[in-house]
Amino acid sequence: MAVTMFVISLLIIVSLIVENAGTVVSPVVTFNPNLNKIFTGESLQMTCNVNSTEQGNVTYYWFKNDYWIHSEKTFTISSALTSDGGNYQCQTSTTDRSDSTKLEVHNGYVILQTPPNVYEGDDIILRCHHYPGHPAKQAIFFKNNAVIKDWGSEDELHIDNVNMTLSCKYKCTKQVNHHLLYYQHSDETSVSVQELFSLPTISLSPQLVKEGDQVTLTCHTRLSPHRQTTELQFAFYREGQNIREFSSTNKYEILSAKLSDSGDYKCEVQTSNHRIKKASTTLTMQVNRIGERELFNQSETEVTSKPGTSHVITAVAVTSLVLVLFLFVTALIFLYRRNQLPLPGNNHPSSKAEPVEPDDETENIYTDLDANTTRWQNFSQNPHKAEVNDLVKENHVIV
């Protein structure tokens, strides 16, 4: 039997996965009465609540500890057994599976009952409940082992407008009559206060704003799936000054942005009963003059988008370097010639040649050379051997 139920549950899960691929909607399981613990023999009804506008027949599926157990919108436990305790989920043919909701079934004398889901801003009742049919008296409530209600005749503790700091352990003791005597019994439970809606964030559209643009500021938050019917209100602020009072819309619009609209913006979200209020972080909006942003983007585009720009810049740089080197070498050659630097091989490269005054002997040599030059020219016109020999001899002596 157990194997058959497992196979059926597996087939249902596979079919639902195929049918609901891509869906994100989840139903919510609620208890009536809204309590997380009951005694054996007591009754409780579960409901699969779907926040959906889809029309037509909807098929429901109930799961206990991941096993399929039922196929209607409600599931009723008429006379609870301890085996009825467990984690319950529901799903439809058009939704994902719900979050798990835990039910405990006890067979003792005292249980401390609380709602299965507690959210900030709730008014809750903690009930020190004893087994039906037995007289009881003197209930005492504890919070983190400290007495908060002593020897009361009532078995309920009321806590209004709970917040996240109230997440702690509670305990109660109670005297219950059985076997003709009163005996003291106790039970404890942990109350976890959940976030009703997330911390809001503010967004801007468009992100780059210029004069004359239509601007929309949006305040985003997310409600718990268990409290989708909670009414929220939104307000907006600029530089700490309220620019729109609380209303049901989460948007604030500027029809034509001006430079004076620049500044720091934030939004606040609160419940309609004003119990829970949360503020977003700051968003800075800068309104630009017309043309500033376009000119900047155009200049940036011209530099970055032209093909081969980097190659052109490289070629210009190389050409400039070659030109500088050429000018430098030309300057060195000019200085070399101007200063009459000594030729390579000179014993004193760094010293300059001093001018020497010509003496009489040097002048005579130059005179003879000029005379001989003239004679050579005459010989080329009227050659005579004797004159040649004499000329050679004379030149030999001169050399």
Side-chain angles (χ1 to χ4, degrees), residues 26 50 62-63 75 84 146 204 235 253 332 349 383:
S26 297
V50 182
W62 281 93
F63 300 88
F75 174 63
D84 289 323
L204 176 67
E253 292 188 351
L332 288 179

Side-chain angles (χ1 to χ4, degrees), residues 18-79:
V18 173
E19 291 178 8
N20 299 320
T23 61
V24 294
V25 178
S26 297
V28 174
V29 174
T30 58
F31 291 169
N32 184 26
N34 190 29
L35 301 170
N36 64 339
K37 297 178 183 179
I38 59 175
F39 281 118
T40 55
E42 294 185 320
S43 63
L44 182 140
Q45 185 181 70
M46 304 180 190
T47 303
C48 188
N49 297 288
V50 182
N51 185 20
S52 175
T53 58
E54 185 173 349
Q55 302 296 325
N57 295 328
V58 178
T59 305
Y60 293 86
Y61 304 91
W62 281 93
F63 300 88
K64 176 194 167 188
N65 298 332
D66 290 330
Y67 287 91
W68 171 78
I69 58 171
H70 193 60
S71 296
E72 294 181 4
K73 183 175 182 178
T74 60
F75 174 63
T76 302
I77 300 175
S78 57
S79 182

Side-chain angles (χ1 to χ4, degrees), residues 7 23 81 110 124 145 166 172 190 215-216 219 235 269 281 372 394:
V7 173
T23 61
L81 303 173
V110 170
I124 64 172
N145 296 321
L166 290 178
C172 80
S190 294
V215 181
T216 301
C219 194
V269 183
T281 55
N372 288 333
E394 290 178 4

Side-chain angles (χ1 to χ4, degrees), residues 107-161:
N107 194 28
Y109 285 94
V110 170
I111 55 176
L112 179 57
Q113 296 173 313
T114 64
N117 297 291
V118 179
Y119 290 88
E120 51 186 349
D122 285 354
D123 295 334
I124 64 172
I125 298 176
L126 277 63
R127 183 187 183 196
C128 195
H129 181 43
H130 63 277
Y131 201 87
H134 293 264
K137 61 181 180 180
Q138 297 177 334
I140 304 174
F141 289 87
F142 301 81
K143 177 182 177 182
N144 291 334
N145 296 321
V147 176
I148 55 177
K149 186 176 181 181
D150 191 7
W151 301 105
S153 58
E154 297 181 356
D155 58 2
E156 294 181 348
L157 175 65
H158 295 255
I159 304 176
D160 297 334
N161 193 16

Side-chain angles (χ1 to χ4, degrees), residues 3 28 53 71 83 114 316-317 338 363:
V3 174
V28 174
T53 58
S71 296
S83 59
T114 64
V316 171
R338 180 176 181 181
E363 290 182 354

Side-chain angles (χ1 to χ4, degrees), residues 65 109 124 129 134 155 201 206 307 319 322 324 328 361 377 393:
N65 298 332
Y109 285 94
I124 64 172
H129 181 43
H134 293 264
D155 58 2
T201 59
T319 303
V322 172
V324 170
F328 179 74
E361 184 176 355
Q377 293 177 350
K393 290 179 181 181

